Amino acid sequence: MSQIITNRIRTSRRSLLKGITAAGARIAIGLPPLTSMFNSIGTAYAAPAATLAAGSEVVGKPIETRFVLWFNGNGIPERYWIPSEEGCDYELTPCLSPLAAWRKDVHVLSGVDNAAASGKGNGHTNSMSGLMTGLDFTGRGPSGPSIDQIIAAKIGGDSRFRSLQIGVAQESFGESMQRNMSWAGYERALPPEMIPHRLFDRLFGAREEGWVNRKRSVLDTVMADASALEKTLPADDKTRVDEHMSGIRDLERAIAGLPPEYARVDPPDFDGDMKDWPRIAKLQSDLLVQALAIRQTRVASYMLTKCQSLTRFPWLGYTSARHHDYTHAQDKTSGADGADGTHVLRDICRWHVEEFAYLVAKLESVPEGDGNLFDHTSLIYVHEHAEANPHKNSGLAMIVAGGSKNLAKGAHTRMTGTVGDVYVTVADEVVGAGIGKFPTATKKLSALLT
């Protein structure tokens, strides 16, 4: 920690900056993790001052864990994604290269089986149902809850939002199974929020129409409360609050500066899909990190692209076809199995990993206790298939990341196990959710644990 204070005014981790708009709407903005919220060594939230005996330091509540399930559509070119070597000395593949700075914090998995993907469906829908819920596709959705909702039921009750569902690319062929990754139960989809404007308002309070036009901010309503709070804080906490407020304002400006069409969702069959998804992805990641840092939620799903993704990639120079088309093209050179085709899929999948790396970097940038937000967040990165062209459901590649001391990291491991085995191992042994079971889980994976 940057500053250790044993005799100080404690700041509750539940503190909010409050205000009322001119129209009478109440605004409440959570605080980031502050030095004065933790015990003197930064390993736990401090006990309330009323419970402290004179001159004593009582260890309070442990720093809470968070969980993020990350998904992008279609599969991968295995030769460019899965390392050849196992163990700690594996060589980063072209698709994994954006994670070079965090290789000590990630565990790359291959060989994982989607054991519930053999049911009815078009190859994508049945895979997605099995991946997210461990259950068969009914024809309209899965027959039970997704793993993020199972975890949220255990650890999400003390947060404002039990879970958040976040999306980026809006396009998708098909129906509800392709467009959603989070499910509350039998055929009950929890759609991702794909519009940054709406996600911002959900986290920080509804706007008055004049705010953007008059260059005003959601922060204007809480400035008096913020000034009063800062008088009670140590110096580095004052700086942290100022940085937090500036970060929110920067997000406001970035979202307000988006083109008008970015504030609406296009229909699934819209053929003009050329939006700047990397720009949206980073805004959504920034908002997710804010939500995790200020205790809005402990559980989130992040759908970068949809199942059976139809995204185009003008920022990569690939606009002649959509992602799903590239995975199934039959031409011997430019098709999915040809040299040019595999290079296209390599570049697409590397962009996916770049956005995941951006989220990891943002989590790591937020100080929390004696470490940072990434230290207390577990992430699982999944695709609906292994090799994309044949809709392969055996030998899936996954990434498990985070700072937990319980998680074995810095390695590539070829697993003998199921998606469910990975989920239960991480949920119970790393996140501490205590879910106990998942439909396709039969064992804990010792290779994932220290």
Side-chain angles (χ1 to χ4, degrees), residues 10-282:
R10 299 291 185 189
T11 304
S12 171
R13 62 195 176 99
R14 299 179 183 276
S15 296
L16 300 170
L17 300 178
K18 300 177 181 179
I20 300 177
T21 71
R26 294 183 180 275
I27 298 294
I29 295 178
L31 292 173
L34 303 178
T35 299
S36 50
M37 293 178 178
F38 298 92
N39 64 13
S40 62
I41 55 175
T43 57
Y45 294 114
T51 68
L52 294 176
S56 69
E57 173 70 23
V58 177
V59 174
K61 187 176 181 180
I63 298 174
E64 60 201 11
T65 57
R66 288 82 156 184
F67 175 77
V68 176
L69 183 65
W70 171 286
F71 170 84
N72 59 251
N74 295 316
I76 60 173
E78 292 182 359
R79 73 191 78 177
Y80 292 121
W81 212 100
I82 299 175
S84 299
E85 309 85 5
E86 288 193 77
C88 296
D89 296 326
Y90 72 93
E91 182 177 348
L92 281 170
T93 56
C95 291
L96 296 179
S97 60
L99 289 171
W102 297 279
R103 65 175 295 153
K104 72 180 188 305
D105 297 312
V106 303
H107 198 141
V108 180
L109 310 181
S110 60
V112 183
D113 288 334
N114 186 354
S118 58
K120 62 182 178 181
N122 71 347
H124 293 271
T125 51
N126 48 297
S127 296
M128 190 67 170
S129 181
L131 179 67
M132 294 298 160
T133 70
L135 298 166
D136 289 343
F137 176 56
T138 68
R140 292 185 298 182
S143 54
S146 52
I147 181 60
D148 59 308
Q149 293 308 296
I150 294 172
I151 293 174
K154 295 291 186 178
I155 69 172
D158 194 34
S159 303
R160 180 184 177 196
F161 301 111
R162 194 174 80 160
S163 65
L164 286 175
Q165 293 75 49
I166 297 172
V168 178
Q170 298 165 7
E171 47 55 53
S172 179
F173 170 83
E175 301 179 4
S176 188
M177 196 71 244
Q178 284 101 329
R179 294 194 293 271
N180 299 288
M181 64 180 286
S182 293
W183 297 81
Y186 186 88
E187 296 181 357
R188 291 170 54 203
L190 296 172
E193 180 53 75
M194 298 175 291
I195 303 296
H197 311 65
R198 296 177 186 170
L199 183 56
F200 184 95
D201 287 350
R202 190 176 182 196
L203 296 179
F204 298 113
R207 292 175 178 272
E208 290 181 311
E209 186 176 350
W211 284 3
V212 174
N213 296 335
R214 294 197 299 268
K215 310 299 182 184
R216 296 184 63 198
S217 165
V218 67
L219 300 177
D220 293 342
T221 63
V222 301
M223 291 306 296
D225 203 17
S227 297
L229 172 69
E230 287 190 349
K231 294 176 182 178
T232 71
L233 297 177
D236 63 341
D237 277 356
K238 292 178 183 178
T239 300
R240 181 77 186 96
V241 171
D242 288 342
E243 290 173 347
H244 177 58
M245 303 277 275
S246 296
I248 293 173
R249 184 57 181 140
D250 289 345
L251 269 170
E252 274 190 312
R253 291 189 176 112
I255 292 169
L258 291 171
E261 62 268 23
Y262 283 54
R264 65 173 184 263
V265 177
D266 293 316
D269 59 351
F270 179 65
D271 196 42
D273 175 29
M274 304 296 278
K275 290 181 180 178
D276 186 352
W277 297 129
R279 184 178 180 183
I280 299 301
K282 290 177 176 60

